[in-house]
Amino acid sequence: MASSSTVAIVAIIAAAAAGAAGYYAAGHQGGGASAPAMAPAAPGMAMSPAAPTKSPVVAKVDGQPIYQSEVDAFIADIPDQTKQQMSPTDLQSRVVDRLIDVKLGNEKATAANFSSDPVFSQRMRTAQEAMIADSYVEKQARAKITDAVLQAKYDELAKQATPPEEVHARHILVKTEAEAKDIIAQLKKGGDFEKLAKEKSTDPGSGESGGDLGYFTKDKMVPEFADAAFKMDKGKFSDAPVHSQYGWHVIQVLDKRTQPLPALDQVKPQLTKIVLQDEMGKVTEDMHKSAKIERFNPDGTPVADKPAEAPAAAPAPATAAPPAPATAAPAPTPAPATPAAPPAPAKK
């Protein structure tokens, strides 16, 4: 079974290969959901940070400056998925707000001599050890990532990808079926498709370019348009007008192909992150192999080794019971058929 890392990068490769949606895309997902708030630090972890690299001051708390370098360091630790949900301006503002809260909490903690609390001290030691260990493992793993390693991973995953089919088409959009039929008649007499598109198409996105929509996958167009285009042979134009919510289309298919995968450079940042996780796992595994690790129960007693499992006994042969006589049941009366609802039109 493919690992989650493998599935993730194959999806990235497929997504990066997908062409931009055309004017007649079936719809886009808007960013209606609000971005998540900045994750707070663990309770009781407020401490004076190490002296930041001097940079512009972006806020002051009771005269204590917050530098842009502190903001940048905080942002660097935020997951990419979270950062992508906010604009740079919003992200900057939220991080500054979070650092203001940290400064205020640190003031109160210092005044209360909170750093001497034994529970807090233990948490700080554990947090520091974890930070040092994670940084060390990451550094060792990064040293193993070379262009050759990334290329090998890319080649491995590219073999598993199944790129979709693409069509390169152009169209002429008009308001009425009669206009579309007249254009088809002109094309059958040898009319120039590109010239007719420039003269008659009402599509502001493609009319000036002779109706050219470029390459697209089936999901990038409204169903009526996509179904017609993908059924047509290369070099042919539609024998009959195709109707959609935008009007009446005359379509010509210029080419068909399997969507090409993106080059390694296009997915290198994402691929590097996946390979880094794999290499960090290997570094950790090697450390385990070279260490003597003992485990103990909460009361301090050694954890007993699990006894070897005894081979499972063979199951006793089942004794078949004589079948019960079948009782004929009356056939149910079929429910009246419910007519299917008409399909919903594609959204702009």
PDB file of all heavy atoms in Angstrom, residues 55-73:
ATOM      1  N   SER A  55      16.090  44.739  13.978  1.00  0.00           N
ATOM      2  CA  SER A  55      15.380  45.021  12.737  1.00  0.00           C
ATOM      3  C   SER A  55      14.324  46.061  13.077  1.00  0.00           C
ATOM      4  O   SER A  55      14.223  46.486  14.233  1.00  0.00           O
ATOM      5  CB  SER A  55      14.756  43.735  12.185  1.00  0.00           C
ATOM      6  OG  SER A  55      13.803  43.212  13.091  1.00  0.00           O
ATOM      7  N   PRO A  56      13.513  46.499  12.131  1.00  0.00           N
ATOM      8  CA  PRO A  56      12.509  47.522  12.448  1.00  0.00           C
ATOM      9  C   PRO A  56      11.599  47.116  13.606  1.00  0.00           C
ATOM     10  O   PRO A  56      11.219  45.953  13.746  1.00  0.00           O
ATOM     11  CB  PRO A  56      11.724  47.643  11.140  1.00  0.00           C
ATOM     12  CG  PRO A  56      12.695  47.260  10.082  1.00  0.00           C
ATOM     13  CD  PRO A  56      13.527  46.175  10.692  1.00  0.00           C
ATOM     14  N   VAL A  57      11.253  48.072  14.437  1.00  0.00           N
ATOM     15  CA  VAL A  57      10.323  47.843  15.543  1.00  0.00           C
ATOM     16  C   VAL A  57       8.903  47.938  15.007  1.00  0.00           C
ATOM     17  O   VAL A  57       8.535  48.929  14.374  1.00  0.00           O
ATOM     18  CB  VAL A  57      10.550  48.877  16.665  1.00  0.00           C
ATOM     19  CG1 VAL A  57       9.475  48.734  17.749  1.00  0.00           C
ATOM     20  CG2 VAL A  57      11.942  48.728  17.265  1.00  0.00           C
ATOM     21  N   VAL A  58       8.090  46.892  15.243  1.00  0.00           N
ATOM     22  CA  VAL A  58       6.722  46.872  14.716  1.00  0.00           C
ATOM     23  C   VAL A  58       5.667  47.093  15.803  1.00  0.00           C
ATOM     24  O   VAL A  58       4.495  47.281  15.503  1.00  0.00           O
ATOM     25  CB  VAL A  58       6.446  45.541  13.973  1.00  0.00           C
ATOM     26  CG1 VAL A  58       7.297  45.447  12.723  1.00  0.00           C
ATOM     27  CG2 VAL A  58       6.696  44.340  14.878  1.00  0.00           C
ATOM     28  N   ALA A  59       6.091  47.072  17.074  1.00  0.00           N
ATOM     29  CA  ALA A  59       5.165  47.340  18.178  1.00  0.00           C
ATOM     30  C   ALA A  59       5.980  47.529  19.450  1.00  0.00           C
ATOM     31  O   ALA A  59       7.158  47.146  19.516  1.00  0.00           O
ATOM     32  CB  ALA A  59       4.169  46.196  18.351  1.00  0.00           C
ATOM     33  N   LYS A  60       5.358  48.139  20.441  1.00  0.00           N
ATOM     34  CA  LYS A  60       5.977  48.271  21.756  1.00  0.00           C
ATOM     35  C   LYS A  60       4.939  47.932  22.818  1.00  0.00           C
ATOM     36  O   LYS A  60       3.771  48.300  22.704  1.00  0.00           O
ATOM     37  CB  LYS A  60       6.501  49.690  21.975  1.00  0.00           C
ATOM     38  CG  LYS A  60       7.763  50.024  21.185  1.00  0.00           C
ATOM     39  CD  LYS A  60       8.308  51.402  21.566  1.00  0.00           C
ATOM     40  CE  LYS A  60       9.596  51.715  20.807  1.00  0.00           C
ATOM     41  NZ  LYS A  60      10.149  53.042  21.188  1.00  0.00           N
ATOM     42  N   VAL A  61       5.385  47.234  23.867  1.00  0.00           N
ATOM     43  CA  VAL A  61       4.515  46.877  24.983  1.00  0.00           C
ATOM     44  C   VAL A  61       5.154  47.423  26.249  1.00  0.00           C
ATOM     45  O   VAL A  61       6.206  46.932  26.683  1.00  0.00           O
ATOM     46  CB  VAL A  61       4.333  45.346  25.089  1.00  0.00           C
ATOM     47  CG1 VAL A  61       3.435  45.000  26.282  1.00  0.00           C
ATOM     48  CG2 VAL A  61       3.753  44.785  23.803  1.00  0.00           C
ATOM     49  N   ASP A  62       4.545  48.459  26.818  1.00  0.00           N
ATOM     50  CA  ASP A  62       5.125  49.144  27.981  1.00  0.00           C
ATOM     51  C   ASP A  62       6.582  49.520  27.709  1.00  0.00           C
ATOM     52  O   ASP A  62       7.462  49.362  28.572  1.00  0.00           O
ATOM     53  CB  ASP A  62       5.024  48.243  29.229  1.00  0.00           C
ATOM     54  CG  ASP A  62       3.590  48.038  29.679  1.00  0.00           C
ATOM     55  OD1 ASP A  62       2.750  48.917  29.385  1.00  0.00           O
ATOM     56  OD2 ASP A  62       3.296  47.000  30.304  1.00  0.00           O
ATOM     57  N   GLY A  63       6.835  49.989  26.477  1.00  0.00           N
ATOM     58  CA  GLY A  63       8.181  50.419  26.118  1.00  0.00           C
ATOM     59  C   GLY A  63       9.088  49.320  25.624  1.00  0.00           C
ATOM     60  O   GLY A  63      10.176  49.586  25.115  1.00  0.00           O
ATOM     61  N   GLN A  64       8.658  48.056  25.748  1.00  0.00           N
ATOM     62  CA  GLN A  64       9.484  46.923  25.316  1.00  0.00           C
ATOM     63  C   GLN A  64       9.223  46.668  23.825  1.00  0.00           C
ATOM     64  O   GLN A  64       8.083  46.413  23.434  1.00  0.00           O
ATOM     65  CB  GLN A  64       9.127  45.677  26.136  1.00  0.00           C
ATOM     66  CG  GLN A  64      10.020  44.494  25.850  1.00  0.00           C
ATOM     67  CD  GLN A  64       9.660  43.276  26.689  1.00  0.00           C
ATOM     68  OE1 GLN A  64      10.279  42.236  26.571  1.00  0.00           O
ATOM     69  NE2 GLN A  64       8.655  43.385  27.538  1.00  0.00           N
ATOM     70  N   PRO A  65      10.259  46.720  22.981  1.00  0.00           N
ATOM     71  CA  PRO A  65      10.038  46.614  21.540  1.00  0.00           C
ATOM     72  C   PRO A  65       9.772  45.190  21.067  1.00  0.00           C
ATOM     73  O   PRO A  65      10.235  44.212  21.656  1.00  0.00           O
ATOM     74  CB  PRO A  65      11.351  47.134  20.949  1.00  0.00           C
ATOM     75  CG  PRO A  65      12.382  46.776  21.969  1.00  0.00           C
ATOM     76  CD  PRO A  65      11.687  46.946  23.296  1.00  0.00           C
ATOM     77  N   ILE A  66       8.989  45.096  19.999  1.00  0.00           N
ATOM     78  CA  ILE A  66       8.817  43.851  19.251  1.00  0.00           C
ATOM     79  C   ILE A  66       9.389  44.105  17.869  1.00  0.00           C
ATOM     80  O   ILE A  66       8.957  45.024  17.166  1.00  0.00           O
ATOM     81  CB  ILE A  66       7.330  43.445  19.146  1.00  0.00           C
ATOM     82  CG1 ILE A  66       6.759  43.131  20.528  1.00  0.00           C
ATOM     83  CG2 ILE A  66       7.156  42.231  18.226  1.00  0.00           C
ATOM     84  CD1 ILE A  66       5.267  42.834  20.528  1.00  0.00           C
ATOM     85  N   TYR A  67      10.395  43.322  17.493  1.00  0.00           N
ATOM     86  CA  TYR A  67      11.094  43.534  16.234  1.00  0.00           C
ATOM     87  C   TYR A  67      10.483  42.694  15.112  1.00  0.00           C
ATOM     88  O   TYR A  67       9.905  41.630  15.349  1.00  0.00           O
ATOM     89  CB  TYR A  67      12.575  43.173  16.385  1.00  0.00           C
ATOM     90  CG  TYR A  67      13.320  44.042  17.376  1.00  0.00           C
ATOM     91  CD1 TYR A  67      13.538  43.613  18.682  1.00  0.00           C
ATOM     92  CD2 TYR A  67      13.792  45.298  17.005  1.00  0.00           C
ATOM     93  CE1 TYR A  67      14.219  44.406  19.600  1.00  0.00           C
ATOM     94  CE2 TYR A  67      14.477  46.105  17.909  1.00  0.00           C
ATOM     95  CZ  TYR A  67      14.682  45.657  19.208  1.00  0.00           C
ATOM     96  OH  TYR A  67      15.347  46.449  20.112  1.00  0.00           O
ATOM     97  N   GLN A  68      10.648  43.171  13.889  1.00  0.00           N
ATOM     98  CA  GLN A  68      10.165  42.418  12.725  1.00  0.00           C
ATOM     99  C   GLN A  68      10.844  41.057  12.644  1.00  0.00           C
ATOM    100  O   GLN A  68      10.237  40.084  12.196  1.00  0.00           O
ATOM    101  CB  GLN A  68      10.415  43.208  11.439  1.00  0.00           C
ATOM    102  CG  GLN A  68       9.911  42.516  10.174  1.00  0.00           C
ATOM    103  CD  GLN A  68       8.415  42.264  10.189  1.00  0.00           C
ATOM    104  OE1 GLN A  68       7.650  43.122  10.633  1.00  0.00           O
ATOM    105  NE2 GLN A  68       7.982  41.102   9.726  1.00  0.00           N
ATOM    106  N   SER A  69      12.081  40.966  13.104  1.00  0.00           N
ATOM    107  CA  SER A  69      12.775  39.672  13.082  1.00  0.00           C
ATOM    108  C   SER A  69      12.076  38.654  13.972  1.00  0.00           C
ATOM    109  O   SER A  69      12.066  37.457  13.682  1.00  0.00           O
ATOM    110  CB  SER A  69      14.228  39.843  13.546  1.00  0.00           C
ATOM    111  OG  SER A  69      14.286  40.412  14.844  1.00  0.00           O
ATOM    112  N   GLU A  70      11.456  39.112  15.071  1.00  0.00           N
ATOM    113  CA  GLU A  70      10.684  38.208  15.922  1.00  0.00           C
ATOM    114  C   GLU A  70       9.432  37.728  15.193  1.00  0.00           C
ATOM    115  O   GLU A  70       9.040  36.560  15.300  1.00  0.00           O
ATOM    116  CB  GLU A  70      10.286  38.913  17.224  1.00  0.00           C
ATOM    117  CG  GLU A  70      11.443  39.305  18.114  1.00  0.00           C
ATOM    118  CD  GLU A  70      10.975  40.052  19.346  1.00  0.00           C
ATOM    119  OE1 GLU A  70      10.585  39.389  20.336  1.00  0.00           O
ATOM    120  OE2 GLU A  70      10.981  41.300  19.319  1.00  0.00           O
ATOM    121  N   VAL A  71       8.811  38.649  14.464  1.00  0.00           N
ATOM    122  CA  VAL A  71       7.621  38.292  13.690  1.00  0.00           C
ATOM    123  C   VAL A  71       7.994  37.261  12.626  1.00  0.00           C
ATOM    124  O   VAL A  71       7.304  36.249  12.441  1.00  0.00           O
ATOM    125  CB  VAL A  71       7.000  39.542  13.035  1.00  0.00           C
ATOM    126  CG1 VAL A  71       5.829  39.154  12.131  1.00  0.00           C
ATOM    127  CG2 VAL A  71       6.533  40.523  14.104  1.00  0.00           C
ATOM    128  N   ASP A  72       9.090  37.510  11.919  1.00  0.00           N
ATOM    129  CA  ASP A  72       9.526  36.594  10.865  1.00  0.00           C
ATOM    130  C   ASP A  72       9.830  35.202  11.417  1.00  0.00           C
ATOM    131  O   ASP A  72       9.490  34.183  10.794  1.00  0.00           O
ATOM    132  CB  ASP A  72      10.764  37.150  10.154  1.00  0.00           C
ATOM    133  CG  ASP A  72      10.482  38.441   9.395  1.00  0.00           C
ATOM    134  OD1 ASP A  72       9.295  38.685   9.078  1.00  0.00           O
ATOM    135  OD2 ASP A  72      11.433  39.196   9.128  1.00  0.00           O
ATOM    136  N   ALA A  73      10.456  35.150  12.584  1.00  0.00           N
ATOM    137  CA  ALA A  73      10.787  33.859  13.194  1.00  0.00           C
ATOM    138  C   ALA A  73       9.523  33.105  13.589  1.00  0.00           C
ATOM    139  O   ALA A  73       9.427  31.879  13.432  1.00  0.00           O
ATOM    140  CB  ALA A  73      11.680  34.071  14.420  1.00  0.00           C
TER     141      ALA A  73
END
